[in-house]
Amino acid sequence: MINKRLLIKNLLAHNDESSFYDKKRQLNLHSREGKAKFLKHICALSNSNPANNSYIVVGVEDHDNEIVGDDFFDDSRIQNLVNAYLENPPKIQYENVPFPNLTKDKVIGLVTIKAKNKTSHFKKGIHTIPINSVFIRRGSNTVPFEGEVEKNYQNTETVIDIENNSRNSIEHTLDGVIDFMNFRHKDMAPKYKVFKELFVICWAGVPKKSREKTFLSRVDIELINEQIKLFYSAQDVVTITFNEDSFTIIEYVPLGLNDKTSYYPLEQQTIHFEENGYYKIDRKILFQPPEFNRKMLFHIYNSNIALLNKLQKGLTLTDREHKDLENLPSAFMICYLNGFEEAKQKLIDAKPLLKPFAQVYLSFKESLRILRKMKYDVQ
């Protein structure tokens, strides 16, 4: 098993950006421009590495490799975006990797692009990238290419050496368990479970009872062997079950209006562990959006638009309006789920207005994360 934190360190130490890896300060998949840039790099790295994995490291300063971190990003449907735009798409994986110097809500993102011999190209255009475009890597640059891509196998030995030097060890596993249990989450009743005598999962959370059911909030769950954060949320709640072969997380989303909140099952994630040292993750969306009175939603939607207009003009908010602002992200999300199609874009456009309000901005990021889970927009 590869220790992903060690892999990231070895990639950053090996060289500057190269034909087998790229680094980004952050990903922006909320806009067509951001999606286009991401897809362009995926296409280029796939075409330039037909026989070995290639990587994108997210949350690193470009000029000095400083590890600054990015938000937890758990959209397993990112593969859908790649499949929608690329012909011969590579298989990709996005993983969240915690680092000791980062706050608990920040991680380094690791995008793994699996080796694929067929040439990837754009089967439809996006932003400024036209249909049938092909990209490759020349050193650290992603460039367009015309004609037949000549397969390059020169990176294979280098990448395999880096991956082999990033293999996990008993020491790394023990260090990870001790750090999780005794330092980062010592006040949250942390627990661990060993599967197949190979895999160690640690988790911690604050018990929260609602209507006779106990949930965990402020949850952190990590697969220690690979230094991967499986789940993190400062707001949503989960239930955890496990047996000798699998570990299941059901995530719930709190939704409600006028201070009346209920918990709705959002997604089930099950990690299946095999005797041969492999594991697989199955995800299933469980969410059924609650329906609210449409007349009431019209009132709430228009009130929130007026609130954003007031922020845009720099006007002072009343105490009641500050309270409404705290509920604005979830209100827009509820409106979108009940047929107000423009509500999602209104929420995205409100980002710079909400960012100065720490708790509201946290709710904003959580709402977009939930919307990504339910319906990944590839348009």
Side-chain angles (χ1 to χ4, degrees), residues 288-320:
Q288 295 294 326
E291 295 184 4
F292 292 87
N293 180 279
R294 196 161 181 84
K295 185 176 180 180
M296 179 178 66
L297 288 180
F298 267 116
H299 172 71
I300 291 173
Y301 180 73
N302 289 329
S303 296
N304 279 295
I305 293 294
L307 188 57
L308 290 177
N309 288 338
K310 196 168 182 179
L311 283 177
Q312 184 78 52
K313 294 175 182 177
L315 301 177
T316 302
L317 302 184
T318 65
D319 290 342
R320 178 67 235 180

Side-chain angles (χ1 to χ4, degrees), residues 147-178:
E148 187 67 28
V149 175
E150 192 172 310
K151 298 304 177 185
N152 182 353
Y153 299 94
Q154 67 179 14
N155 292 327
T156 304
E157 187 175 336
T158 301
V159 173
I160 290 175
D161 282 345
I162 290 175
E163 291 174 343
N164 285 337
N165 287 330
S166 305
R167 296 287 173 187
N168 201 30
S169 66
I170 293 176
E171 182 179 9
H172 287 136
T173 300
L174 288 175
D175 286 346
V177 173
I178 292 169

Side-chain angles (χ1 to χ4, degrees), residues 121-315:
H121 67 270
F122 280 77
K123 60 184 178 183
K124 61 180 180 179
I126 178 173
H127 192 51
T128 59
I129 300 175
I131 190 172
N132 294 324
S133 294
V134 178
F135 292 89
I136 61 170
R137 295 282 288 189
R138 286 209 174 111
S140 61
N141 297 316
T142 293
V143 297
F145 186 85
E146 293 184 2
E148 187 67 28
V149 175
E150 192 172 310
K151 298 304 177 185
N152 182 353
Y153 299 94
Q154 67 179 14
N155 292 327
T156 304
E157 187 175 336
T158 301
V159 173
I160 290 175
D161 282 345
I162 290 175
E163 291 174 343
N164 285 337
N165 287 330
S166 305
R167 296 287 173 187
N168 201 30
S169 66
I170 293 176
E171 182 179 9
H172 287 136
T173 300
L174 288 175
D175 286 346
V177 173
I178 292 169
D179 179 55
F180 189 100
M181 303 283 290
N182 293 349
F183 296 99
R184 286 189 286 138
H185 300 294
K186 63 180 180 180
D187 300 323
M188 296 174 66
K191 296 179 175 60
Y192 75 91
K193 170 69 177 173
V194 180
F195 296 88
K196 305 297 182 184
E197 300 184 356
L198 288 172
F199 306 93
V200 183
I201 287 185
C202 288
W203 70 95
V206 177
K208 182 175 186 176
K209 198 164 187 176
S210 176
R211 299 179 184 177
E212 306 306 317
K213 188 168 185 176
T214 300
F215 302 91
L216 291 177
S217 65
R218 293 169 53 200
V219 179
D220 193 1
I221 306 172
E222 294 183 15
L223 177 58
I224 299 296
N225 307 69
E226 298 196 359
Q227 294 289 358
I228 296 170
K229 194 181 287 286
L230 294 171
F231 185 91
Y232 175 81
S233 175
Q235 291 189 321
D236 295 343
V237 298
V238 306
T239 57
I240 291 172
T241 57
F242 54 85
N243 55 34
E244 293 305 309
D245 303 310
S246 64
F247 185 92
T248 298
I249 308 158
I250 298 181
E251 178 184 358
Y252 294 78
V253 53
L255 286 177
L257 298 171
N258 300 325
D259 299 324
K260 294 180 180 178
T261 299
S262 297
Y263 291 98
Y264 297 86
L266 174 61
E267 183 182 48
Q268 177 177 294
Q269 181 179 169
T270 301
I271 304 98
H272 301 276
F273 300 99
E274 309 291 343
E275 296 284 358
N276 59 4
Y278 288 92
Y279 68 91
K280 65 177 182 177
I281 300 178
D282 291 332
R283 292 179 172 90
K284 180 169 66 174
I285 288 293
L286 307 175
F287 188 71
Q288 295 294 326
E291 295 184 4
F292 292 87
N293 180 279
R294 196 161 181 84
K295 185 176 180 180
M296 179 178 66
L297 288 180
F298 267 116
H299 172 71
I300 291 173
Y301 180 73
N302 289 329
S303 296
N304 279 295
I305 293 294
L307 188 57
L308 290 177
N309 288 338
K310 196 168 182 179
L311 283 177
Q312 184 78 52
K313 294 175 182 177
L315 301 177

Side-chain angles (χ1 to χ4, degrees), residues 28-36 38-39 73 75 77-82 84-85 124 126 336 341-342 344-345 348 368-379:
N28 176 17
L29 299 183
H30 300 313
S31 69
R32 288 178 64 82
E33 180 181 4
K35 291 174 184 176
F38 175 72
L39 289 165
F73 188 86
D75 199 333
R77 286 140 214 90
I78 198 171
Q79 182 74 51
N80 294 347
L81 176 64
V82 175
Y85 283 96
K124 61 180 180 179
I126 178 173
Y336 175 74
E341 294 295 331
E342 68 279 9
K344 180 180 177 181
Q345 192 58 48
I348 292 171
L368 287 186
R369 184 178 69 84
I370 292 165
L371 289 173
R372 281 198 308 268
K373 276 180 177 286
M374 290 184 285
K375 184 180 179 181
Y376 195 88
D377 181 9
V378 297
Q379 302 302 319

